[in-house]
Amino acid sequence: MHIKTAFLTAAAVAFASPAGAADAPTDPQIAHIAYTAGNIDIAAAKQALARTHNRAIRSFAQEMMRDHKAVNAKALALVKKLQVTPQDNPTSQGLSKDARATLQRLSHLSGAKYDRAYIDNEVAYHKTVNGALEMVLIPSAKNAQLKSLLQTGLTLFREHQAHAEQVAKALK
Amino acid sequence: MTKRLRLCPLWAASAGALLLVSFPATAAPRTFTVVIDKLKFGPLPAGLRKGDAIVWVNRDILKHSATAADHSFDADLPAGAKVRTVIRHSGAIPFVCRYHPGMHGTLQVK
């Protein structure tokens, strides 16, 4: 439980910029953050598929891999079309750092302990990313197409969060 | 010749009447469209009958499916795909997207 809390705190700090604040992220930064957030979940799904035999967990991880790859491919196509270069920033760096630590921690777990840690982290991660999309990234986005893609992402990630919560609840 | 010509419409009418009596009129199968957008199945057609078809249209950027719980149809729908399925039986047919369990619905078939 403390692991989840620690992650949530770190992620909340990473997404701290309120919409409309002077340090609100720019579109190139938002694109970078969204892409990074997707890649983090793809990496987590890859680890899950390599470590678990639980059918529900595998199915969920496959869903994460498939959907986040699709959204990131769309994001890449959009930034190319808009001729925007995603810009690295402290939020992306914070997310990546936390994700590396989480992957490292989970790499020492196996069986039911791994499954529980993975799915709890997925619930927490989607909750945090969804909050950030809703409160910071979508309101800060200037380009209409980027904003629309982020809104599609939010709809999708809410479904992911609900699915993760369902899997977590059913996990023995 | 004149007599035969005059009888023809009569024969045709009789044959038609016979057909109507022998084979009760059955409505032709119809085709309906259900659009998937933003991880939701759009409005489902009312008054579905066995033999009708549904064209599932995926407008999302993600892969979906329309999969009947009883396996009577299963449309795999990559992003942008359109797939036609036929309703094989009457009754309530629950269905789901097998990739996104939160997406589901129930067809009511007369």
Side-chain angles (χ1 to χ4, degrees):
Chain A
M1 188 65 185
H2 69 282
I3 291 170
K4 188 163 75 178
T5 309
F7 174 82
L8 273 172
T9 307
V13 168
F15 283 119
S17 302
D23 58 349
T26 62
D27 281 5
Q29 288 174 335
I30 291 169
H32 198 282
I33 293 165
Y35 192 81
T36 302
N39 266 354
I40 286 171
D41 216 38
I42 291 168
K46 273 185 191 163
Q47 187 191 51
L49 291 171
R51 296 190 70 81
T52 187
H53 298 289
N54 182 292
R55 197 174 164 182
I57 296 284
R58 291 189 69 80
S59 171
F60 179 82
Q62 280 160 352
E63 180 187 334
M64 295 308 105
M65 183 96 88
R66 186 175 47 243
D67 286 353
H68 285 288
K69 275 186 176 176
V71 173
N72 271 8
K74 201 77 180 172
L76 274 187
L78 180 61
V79 294
K80 193 176 174 188
K81 181 184 161 193
L82 299 175
Q83 296 185 311
V84 167
T85 305
Q87 186 187 1
D88 199 4
N89 58 85
T91 302
S92 292
Q93 290 159 10
L95 285 173
S96 297
K97 189 181 165 195
D98 293 341
R100 278 195 299 273
T102 304
L103 280 179
Q104 177 67 18
R105 192 182 67 247
L106 265 62
S107 71
H108 298 299
L109 303 175
S110 60
K113 282 187 178 171
Y114 173 84
D115 295 340
R116 172 55 66 192
Y118 169 71
I119 203 65
D120 282 351
N121 187 60
E122 285 298 297
V123 171
Y125 184 68
H126 281 90
K127 204 179 280 184
T128 304
V129 171
N130 290 344
L133 277 166
E134 193 175 16
M135 305 303 291
V136 180
L137 303 181
I138 291 172
S140 302
K142 300 283 186 293
N143 181 277
Q145 290 177 74
L146 176 61
K147 198 183 272 281
S148 171
L149 182 58
L150 293 170
Q151 280 161 340
T152 301
L154 177 57
T155 307
L156 171 66
F157 305 153
R158 279 179 177 154
E159 152 74 20
H160 287 173
Q161 185 186 327
H163 190 187
E165 285 167 351
Q166 185 191 326
V167 173
K169 197 176 170 185
L171 203 63
K172 289 173 184 170
Chain B
M1 187 68 183
T2 311
K3 192 177 178 183
R4 279 178 73 186
L5 280 171
R6 234 184 289 132
L7 281 175
C8 278
L10 190 61
W11 273 109
S14 305
L18 196 61
L19 279 171
L20 283 172
V21 169
S22 306
F23 304 100
T26 53
R30 299 154 305 165
T31 298
F32 298 91
T33 299
V34 174
V35 175
I36 301 167
D37 195 18
K38 295 182 174 57
L39 285 104
K40 282 192 178 130
F41 288 103
L44 302 176
L48 271 174
R49 293 189 297 249
K50 181 181 165 185
D52 286 346
I54 293 181
V55 175
W56 306 88
V57 180
N58 181 8
R59 288 201 185 140
D60 263 342
I61 60 172
L62 309 158
K63 187 175 187 177
H64 291 303
S65 85
T67 305
D70 62 8
H71 309 293
S72 59
F73 62 82
D74 185 9
D76 205 44
L77 296 154
K82 285 182 184 181
V83 174
R84 186 175 183 274
T85 58
V86 175
I87 305 300
R88 301 284 180 203
H89 64 84
S90 55
I93 309 178
F95 63 93
V96 69
C97 166
R98 72 180 117 89
Y99 304 114
H100 304 101
M103 293 173 61
H104 51 81
T106 300
L107 297 174
Q108 300 292 345
V109 185
K110 289 179 184 172

